[in-house]
Each structure stands twice: as structure tokens, then as C-alpha cells.
Amino acid sequence: MTLPSPLTGVVPPVCTPLTPDNEVDVASLERLVDHLIDGGVDGLFVLGSSSEAAYLPDGHREVVVDRVVRYVGGQLPVLAGAIDMATLRVLDHVRTAAAAGADGVVVTAPFYTRTHPAEIARHFRLVAARGELPVFAYDLPVSVHTKLDADLVLELAADGALAGLKDSSGDDGGLRRVVLGARARTDLPSFAVLTGSELTVDAALAMGADGVVPGLGNVDPHGYVRLYRYAREGDWARARAEQERLCALFRMVGVGDPLRMGASSSSLGAFKAALHLRGVIACPLTAAPQVPLSEAETEQVGKHLAAAGLL
Amino acid sequence: MTLPSPLTGVVPPVCTPLTPDNEVDVASLERLVDHLIDGGVDGLFVLGSSSEAAYLPDGHREVVVDRVVRYVGGQLPVLAGAIDMATLRVLDHVRTAAAAGADGVVVTAPFYTRTHPAEIARHFRLVAARGELPVFAYDLPVSVHTKLDADLVLELAADGALAGLKDSSGDDGGLRRVVLGARARTDLPSFAVLTGSELTVDAALAMGADGVVPGLGNVDPHGYVRLYRYAREGDWARARAEQERLCALFRMVGVGDPLRMGASSSSLGAFKAALHLRGVIACPLTAAPQVPLSEAETEQVGKHLAAAGLL
Amino acid sequence: MTLPSPLTGVVPPVCTPLTPDNEVDVASLERLVDHLIDGGVDGLFVLGSSSEAAYLPDGHREVVVDRVVRYVGGQLPVLAGAIDMATLRVLDHVRTAAAAGADGVVVTAPFYTRTHPAEIARHFRLVAARGELPVFAYDLPVSVHTKLDADLVLELAADGALAGLKDSSGDDGGLRRVVLGARARTDLPSFAVLTGSELTVDAALAMGADGVVPGLGNVDPHGYVRLYRYAREGDWARARAEQERLCALFRMVGVGDPLRMGASSSSLGAFKAALHLRGVIACPLTAAPQVPLSEAETEQVGKHLAAAGLL
Amino acid sequence: MTLPSPLTGVVPPVCTPLTPDNEVDVASLERLVDHLIDGGVDGLFVLGSSSEAAYLPDGHREVVVDRVVRYVGGQLPVLAGAIDMATLRVLDHVRTAAAAGADGVVVTAPFYTRTHPAEIARHFRLVAARGELPVFAYDLPVSVHTKLDADLVLELAADGALAGLKDSSGDDGGLRRVVLGARARTDLPSFAVLTGSELTVDAALAMGADGVVPGLGNVDPHGYVRLYRYAREGDWARARAEQERLCALFRMVGVGDPLRMGASSSSLGAFKAALHLRGVIACPLTAAPQVPLSEAETEQVGKHLAAAGLL
């Protein structure tokens, strides 16, 4: 399909269900896509951080993008993460995504290697110039260990190197600088600013963001879709109430014992446990070396779902 | 060949020469291997950070390990980096390295994703358990953004999960903790501690380290081999003099203008420029998005070589 | 005066005007207080980060709090920063603030020393228990290098150790967690959540924050007071328009050349240049070792003021 | 006394004994000074990080420097830390140290505030120009959150702004760059490079460092003095054996439970517990908000002392 210009609405980063022996569970993945489409989402983002892209071998990644694009069949735009350390590696992923028929790719600054603003700019320009798909910059300093500068993003957008920004930095002041900068330029009507911060979506939309990429949207797509609709209708009171309900639900990410596991195991483990408890996916396994939730921790996830009326 | 147990001596991380169109320049790579073997090195480490592993697509990586192993033909042990974000991705690289006939793999803690000591331990255990090759832990906090704890390394070594440590943290106190901890255990006679810090090799060897993995060893393998030999002979005065000569040579890593490029472009650019000026490789190109050295910067590299008697 | 409970509204961190020989310029400071009161602010926060507290010797700090409290004469509550590395040093500043008649103190987690959640909690409890004034926690990870955890803040609030939070972390999701957590507890009716993020005040107020501590409020107190009033009236469209005007004005913090100076020199230099250009303070000097703005950079500040209708 | 030029040998950072009610325990402090002088140290460094300078109010700091200088009576040079956030605050501490008769001051780059290389240079130049005492730069990135650049240190030394460097960065490659850079300049014969890394003193001395500032030297000054003497005599085998004994002793810094306390509470708590167990100081209390060692943890310290033959 043609990518909306700009891309707007709710575009969840799709979790990647695994079988007990660590393969992509395609049947569960398709049920998850159904669940999201049923929720009313506006697009899908496969192979993002919430999809455990960092954990998935290239074979798994290829299965995911290929099967989701085919299953969706053009009903919705599908973005694919091309998460890797530097340009040539990213270009390989872009090629795979394009071959599978994805509608855009999501790309971070280089990581692992020590980098520089000039190299970050060069990276995005090369991916845009030689890749075959619209490029969304992915700002995730907690993983990438550099923050994308608002002025650099706008400059790349003006040069046509970027179709949008997925801002998961948690820095809403920086997000606003991009939103206002993009609006101030008449040459950027189709540049999309999407927030990845689940807890401040109403605020980001009020500031002028175009959409949201919420990890928690896997668990409750209907909630984020309602939130988005209320915001678009200017009904900020209802948007806020919906957002606050989702904030309470989001507390599930803290169920994992910090003595036993890291934040990724806990939060992605909670999302997958919730999808399992809701009957969407067959197995809540997260990819190695993440530590599984205990039974008691999974029960806590269930309580969060129940409190939100989702069980 | 069988990996020496423990691995000792000078094991340079082999630069990856590229053609002007970004392919692996196999002829130059083989000349570089000859240059290193002629220098008297004890092993080769392909696909490390100085090899631009973070920048190389899997296809390039496979060519490198395959061609180097075949070219070396068992004269020397060849370690291969399996640099990637998490366990399943690393296992893919281990498989490739094993298929190519490498003698060991070098693996970091998970990166990009937020991690935890328990997950780091699980990661190394899984790679060791399911991989087919001896595993060396690679401690590089500047890239990985976590530091490997000395006690964790020793515990993994005692469990047979690690054959050695490549410590590029720059923290020689931590290196010494591992050296002393390994020596204190009678069950670790074959655990190798290798330093990646080019400027303090004499010190690390005096502390009891088994060897060195010097990026600068690409440029001057003979120097590091002399340094290692003097140290093994207990001739610390000559070891120190050789080390100080290499410290002066190492200043080439700073030739790149920090307004135009990052530390990787400057240091890897300098190593490759030096290899080009010395006639070892055909083209000094570093992989995208690194910024090339200017002519004036390359001239500076030449002056460093001349001052060290290498031109 | 009695501190409102909770503290609400616009509480600017008051810049500290200096004479050309680095003394506190009391006359200018009093004019600045007049300017802020004229703007309609609800309280004053002296000796915060925007006040250059980190740069001011104790003698200067004492003059500032003493003169401002006396000059204000109970018209408005005055909070004083007690910015120092650990508990006993902070307690000295609390004593000075109490003696001068301040209405509350603002305290960070320990810094410079390596710390721990248990020590941070102990720090705030000791300051609260032995200090004589209500304590506001100051969350400023860019300076303190730890982030205050939302649950810890709420626990301290519930124990009576904290009267409020000044959140300058830029993490509006975390701010919201505190706001929602405080609202969920019936025992915290008087706990104040204040944002220090100049660019997202409308969002923070919409989320339920009680007020704002804007460095830029020195330059344009009237703007932040209007913004606050619109938000309280539920007129979010006008609040947003006012906020966007202030976002444009805030761009002045970037006038300083990053090759010549750091972010503090540039942003505090811009605020003081603006106050000087507006005729409020006599001299735009920032404290050593900050680098002064050039004439051209100061002219840029003037252009920002003119564009905002403030010259 | 006149400061030796350069300062050489063992210069321990003197712990600050406290009474149970958090005052400076002068009698214990004097016993500690006797203990260190008896150990044969070459100088004393009061108010460093191991002295808990970050925790001590100015009144305590003044008592410490005043009493130690008077007690020492010119037998040994006394350096005083002037640890504070920025220039004017540091200058206040320099004045106090000079008035008390200290022989030099130890100064970090600015911290808490965001800084810049040009501002760091300006900071040291201003302290040197307006202060009354020789200035030693203190490189402690774990606290200051910037690393002093070797070239900047050498430039400041050449300009006469610095009498020496106390390098507690743990980066022995960086230390070596300063040592070699200073030796290469004929105008820096009196610039002292002192390492603060307890575990690699033999290595630093072999590289050409002038001396050592070991926190663990409080507990075992005789050991560090022997180590220094062996190194100066060129008896590297005995130096290494002594260093390895001290490395084992240093493991006491890890006795504190990381679930209950931070690294400062554990390591400074262990040093003070050891001094208490050895009968040097009356009370092992560390300053608030540090968490005290438990009885079991203190027993562990005793075991480390016994194993080292110090009980």
C-alpha cells in the first residue's frame, strides 16, 4: 500500500511471539495482528524494540516482516525496524524489508561504535539514498546511547532523507522542538512525528504529534485507539481519562524482581504474559538471555489486566 | 589447529581492508595477514572492533573469517568476533565462525537492550553451551555500556563457559583482579587474560596477563612482538622502552579533526592510512558512515610512521 | 509567611545578578524580584540551578536568600536551594535558609559521591527530620547523575519527609507517575508536584502538576503566568499558544557557540543577557568559569526578545 | 614547609574519623596521622574523596586541615582537597587551606553544572592565578563525570597553572600519556604525576609516575611505603609481591551488601572499620547518609586484616 503522508494514528510496535523452542510462532503472530487490527490501529511497526528486534536473528526477523506484510495484505501500512550497528548492516535489513513489501523502515543512529553528529547525518542520508523505502528516524537514547538532535532531524527531513521520527527518548521538550520546527517549515507537510512514550500520549498529541507507537498497545490497542480518537476530536478530558487508565495498566512493566532480571525482561515479559493471559499468543516466552517471569509475577500481570477490565 | 591453552602472546585484531566500493579487499587482507605473521604474532583476531565488525554486513564478516582461516591454514590460531546484540544473534555468528574453521569466538555482553548481571551470565552460558567453539569474553564498556564484573568472569571461567577474557576496558585494576583471581584458583590453569589496552601492555604482562590484542599491532606487529618477548624474558627496561615507542606511535589515533569526525573514524582511519602508506593494503577506506581522513590528516599519520622508523 | 499547601502556580528560579567584580548585585536582584512580582508569579525559588547556585560561594548564597526574603516581606513564599553534595553540608544550607526566613528548601539527592537508593532515602529523611523547613526534592539527573524514582518520592512524601517535588528531569512520564501516585493516596493532599521543564508546562499542568519552576520565567514571567492561568481555566488552546510562544523564546538558550562554551554558559548567559537588555539587571555577567556571550551572541538574544515582543 | 618539587612518594588521602555525634574526632585524627607517619609516608592529603570531603561541612573541613597542619608541624607536606562545584566556591576552600598553612590544594574540574573543556581550563587557571597555593588537578571521573584530557593537563602544567595531577580515573593509559608528555617537555621538571589507583601502583611507578595517593594506605601505610621503596630500587619482583598482597587486602572494599548500601558506604566503611579494629581510631562511623557496615560485614574486614597480618 502507499504510506499515508504523513503517517498518523496508532502504530503499535508488534510483539514477536515465540514458540517454546525459540522460533517465531507465526500463528500467534497472526492472531496478534488480528487483535491489533480489531483494536482499530492505523499501522503496524514490526521489529522494533518491543518486538525484541535486538534479540532476533536475521532469519526470525525475515519471517516476521514477510509474514506480517503478507497477512495484512495492504489493509494497513507496515513499518519494519532495521535495527543494527551501522550503515551497511542497516542497508541489508532495509533490503529484506523492501523485498518483503514493507512500507517504511525505522532506523536508529549508529550504536556500539563511537559516533559523531556528522556521522549520524551521513548514516541517515546513506540509508535514505541507497535504501528503497521511506526512513523513519528512531530516537532511543537508552539503547543507542546518543540522543538525536532536533535540528539535525529537521535538517534531514528538509533534505528528504526522513519521512518521520519515532521519538522514544522520553524527552517531550525535545519532541515539541521537532513538532514546532516541522510546522514552521512549509516544506515539511508530510513529515510524521510519532511518540513512543506510552504515558504521555495525550500530551504529545496536544503538542501536535501525528501519532503514537505504544508498546503497551499490544496489550490494549482499543485503549490507545480511543485515546487517539478523543484527542483528534479535541475531547481532552476523555483523552486524559483514557491515558490515565493506560498509565495504571502500564505499571505491569515493573512486575519483574529487579534482583533477578533487567528492565527488558520485566517489561517485555509482562506484555507477553498479558497477551498470553488474554488468549492472543500461545506462549509468553521472551528471547534469550532474558529471564522469564515467575508464576507470582505473571499473576501480578493478571491483576493489572483485571483492574483494567481486560480479563 | 588446536587453540593453545591458555592462549598467549600477541593476537592483533585484524583490520578489514575494503575496496573503494565497500567490498572486502581479500588480496589486501591476505597481505595484512602476511605482514602480521611476518611480525611474529601468536594468533589473529578477526571481526573485532578494530576490524570494524560493527560496520560489516554478515556477508563481509563471513568472507573475512573464511578467507583468513583458509589463508592461515592452521599456522596460527584464529579467533573470530561474534559481535551482536543478544544471544540468538551471537549464536548465528558463532555457527558461521565454526563452519569457517575458526579456533574460538569473542563475545560481548548483550548491548542495545537494557541488561542485568543475571542475563549477562545466562548469555555467556548459552553461547558456551550451544556454541561449538571456545568463548572469550570481550569487555569493552565504551561500546557495550556495561562493564564485565571480575567475579562474574571468574565464575563463568570456573564453570567452563569461558576460555579467556579480552579486556579492552582500560581499567587495569579490574584486569589485575581477574589475573589474581584466576591464579588463586587451581581449576583455571588454561584461562587466558588478554589486554586490549595498547598503551599499558608492559604493565599488564608484568601483572600476569597472558597476552595482548593491540589494534596498533596492525601497524607495527614487530614492535608488539618485541615488547612481548622482552616482558617474557623479564627484561622490563627494554619492554618499557619498546612500549614507550609504541605509545608515541599510538598518537596517530588523534589525527582526525574532532569537529568533522568521531573517535572511530579517526583511529581506525589512522590505522588504515598507516597500512596503506606502508604498502600493506590497497585502499585506506573505512566503512560508512565513518568520515575519511583528509590529505593533511593522512600526512600526519605518515609523520608518525616516519618518527617511529616505519616508513 | 505560611507556605501554601500544596504550593501551586509559577515559582521561577531567580537568576542571581552579579556585579562586574563577581559580587551579588543586590539592587539588580531586587529589581528582578520586582519584575517577577509584577509578572504575577506565585512564589520565588532562589539558589536553584538557574540561579547559578553551583557557582556561588556560601557568602553570596547567604546574601541572596537574606535579601530576597527581606525584600519580599512575606508577599510571596520564598524557597531556597540547599544544593550540596551530602547531608551534613545540605543541613548547613538549610540552617542558613531558615535563619533568613525562607519558607522551604529544595534539595537534590547526594552527588559527587557514589550513592544508592537507600542512601538517597536516608538523606532526605535526615534533612527533613533535622532541618527546620519543608523540603522539596529536586530531580535534576543532568547534574546529580541519578534519577529520583517515582515510588521513592511518593514513599518519602507519605512519611512526611517531602512537601513537594521539583522535577527538572525532562521525563514527563515519570512526572505523571508521581502526579497519579500522589492523587491515588488520600494522605498526600498537600504534596506539590512542580515541573522545571520550560517547554512542556501546558502538558504537565494538564496531567495534574501543581505548578512550574521555569528558568525562562526570569525573562518573561508574564508569559508563564498567563500560561498557568489559561491552564487553570481549562482554556487549553490559549495555554498551548502561549506555551508555543515561550518555546520560540526559549531558543535563546542555544545562542552560545558550542566550540567556545558549555550549555550552562550559553543558557544562563542568554537569560542574563535578556534581563540586561530588558533593563532589569545592570550587568549580564555569569559566574566563573562560565564563558561570556560575545556581542554577536548577545545580539541574537535581542532578536529573540524582539520576536517575542519583549523589547 | 616547602613542597618538594615534584612531590613524590606515598601521600595517603587521610580518612576523617568522626565521633558518634558526627563531629571531627581530633584525637583519632592525630593518632591516624601518627600511624601514617610511622608508616613512613611522604606527605598527607586531607579532604580528599577517601576523607569523605563530599560529606563534610565547611566547619569540619576547616578543623581537619587546621589540626593536621598544626599537628604535622612541617615534618611532611600537607595537601588539602578543595572539592566543590565551581571556581568561586573552590577559591573559598583554597583560602581556608592557605590560612591553615597547607602546602598545596587538590582541585577537580567543575561538577554538578554542565561544563566544557574551555571552562575547565579557565577554572584551573583562575584557581591558580588567584589562589595562594600550588594546585594539583584531581581526575576522578566517577565523581566529576568528566575526564581530564591529557593534553589539557599538560598545557596547564606548561603554563604554570598546575603543580601536579592526582589521577584516580583508573585509566592507566591516560596516566601514561601525561607521564610521557611531561617527560618530553623540558619545561616541566617539577610536575608531579600521582596515581590514585590502589591496585596498579607498581605499574604506575614503572611507567614513571612520581607517587601514589592510596585510600587503602590509611589501613596499611607500611605496605605502600615498602612498595614504593622497592619500585624506586628497581626491585620489581618484590614491588609486585607487595602490590599483590595489597590487592588482596583491598578486597575489603566489597564487604558491604550492595542491596543495602552504595560503593562509598562499603569502601569507606571498610577503611574506617579496619582503622578501628587496628586501634587507630575510636569510632568507625562514616558520615551521613552513608549506611554503616553490619557486625558481620565488620567481621569480614577483620578477616581481611588478619589474612594480611595486620591484626
Side-chain angles (χ1 to χ4, degrees), chain D residues 259-280:
Chain D
L259 300 182
R260 285 201 311 120
M261 69 183 74
S264 173
S265 295
S266 179
S267 60
L268 301 183
F271 290 167
K272 285 187 149 181
L275 288 169
H276 184 234
L277 290 168
R278 297 198 74 190
V280 179

Side-chain angles (χ1 to χ4, degrees), chain D residues 32-43:
Chain D
L32 175 53
V33 168
D34 284 339
H35 167 68
L36 297 172
I37 293 178
D38 177 71
V41 304
D42 301 284

Side-chain angles (χ1 to χ4, degrees), chain B residues 165-181:
Chain B
L165 169 71
K166 191 218 158 179
D167 184 344
S168 295
S169 69
D171 170 14
D172 285 341
L175 176 90
R176 191 165 214 160
R177 283 191 60 204
V178 177
V179 165
L180 295 177

Side-chain angles (χ1 to χ4, degrees), chain B residues 13 24 54 74 83 95 97 100 115 117 140 152 177 190 204 241 244 260 266 284:
Chain B
V24 178
I83 307 302
R95 226 162 276 133
T115 190
L140 186 66
L152 175 60
R177 283 191 60 204
S190 65
E244 292 183 354
R260 286 200 309 121
S266 179

Side-chain angles (χ1 to χ4, degrees), chain C residues 1 23 75 97 99 104 118 128 135 140 149 155 184 202 206 237 241 279 310:
Chain C
M1 74 167 299
E23 296 302 321
Q75 299 171 72
V135 177
L140 186 66
D149 178 69
E155 182 192 315
D202 55 344
L310 297 175

Side-chain angles (χ1 to χ4, degrees), chain C residues 1-297:
Chain C
M1 74 167 299
T2 313
L3 193 65
S5 176
L7 180 62
T8 61
V10 178
V11 186
V14 185
C15 283
T16 308
L18 298 176
T19 65
D21 54 343
N22 283 304
E23 296 302 321
V24 178
D25 175 350
V26 175
S28 287
L29 180 58
E30 292 177 352
R31 274 199 306 276
L32 175 53
V33 169
D34 283 339
H35 167 68
L36 297 171
I37 292 177
D38 176 70
V41 303
D42 302 283
L44 298 174
F45 170 31
V46 297
L47 304 178
S49 299
S50 296
S51 320
E52 298 176 87
Y55 297 92
L56 301 180
D58 285 357
H60 288 49
R61 291 186 180 195
E62 194 169 344
V63 168
V64 167
V65 64
D66 188 63
R67 298 303 294 253
V68 169
V69 169
R70 259 200 282 161
Y71 189 73
V72 166
Q75 299 171 72
L76 295 177
V78 177
L79 304 185
I83 307 302
D84 220 316
M85 295 168 245
T87 313
L88 299 178
R89 292 185 66 80
V90 167
L91 283 171
D92 272 5
H93 299 298
V94 173
R95 226 163 275 132
T96 305
D103 301 294
V105 287
V106 184
V107 173
T108 70
F111 55 89
Y112 182 87
T113 185
R114 289 168 293 170
T115 191
H116 184 276
E119 294 164 3
I120 294 172
R122 198 169 178 231
H123 175 69
F124 282 111
R125 285 188 212 283
L126 286 168
V127 172
R130 303 205 307 204
E132 297 100 297
L133 290 171
V135 177
F136 292 75
Y138 192 175
D139 193 20
L140 186 66
V142 73
S143 292
V144 174
H145 298 282
T146 49
K147 170 92 183 81
L148 290 181
D149 178 69
D151 289 331
L152 175 61
V153 167
L154 291 167
E155 182 192 315
L156 291 167
D159 292 355
L162 292 182
L165 169 71
K166 191 218 157 180
D167 185 344
S168 296
S169 68
D171 170 14
D172 285 341
L175 177 91
R176 190 165 217 161
R177 283 191 58 203
V178 177
V179 166
L180 294 178
R183 194 204 301 162
R185 307 187 62 132
T186 53
D187 55 346
L188 293 179
S190 65
F191 183 75
V193 181
L194 310 172
T195 180
S197 300
E198 281 103 335
L199 304 185
T200 57
V201 175
D202 55 344
L205 294 172
M207 288 176 201
D210 299 287
V212 54
V213 185
L216 184 65
N218 284 277
V219 177
D220 189 8
H222 301 78
Y224 277 100
V225 168
R226 278 192 300 270
L227 164 52
Y228 181 75
R229 199 179 61 230
Y230 297 144
R232 280 293 160 263
E233 294 166 0
D235 188 347
W236 295 108
R238 293 182 81 183
R240 178 180 170 184
E242 188 66 43
Q243 174 70 77
E244 292 183 353
R245 199 187 57 84
L246 290 163
C247 288
L249 183 62
F250 189 74
R251 292 184 67 94
M252 72 167 60
V253 303
V255 295
D257 178 356
L259 300 181
R260 284 201 311 119
M261 69 183 73
S264 173
S265 296
S266 179
S267 60
L268 300 182
F271 291 165
K272 285 186 149 181
L275 287 169
H276 184 234
L277 290 169
R278 297 199 74 190
V280 180
I281 69 175
C283 164
L285 183 70
T286 51
Q290 288 170 98
V291 171
L293 297 186
S294 69
E295 249 180 78
E297 289 161 349

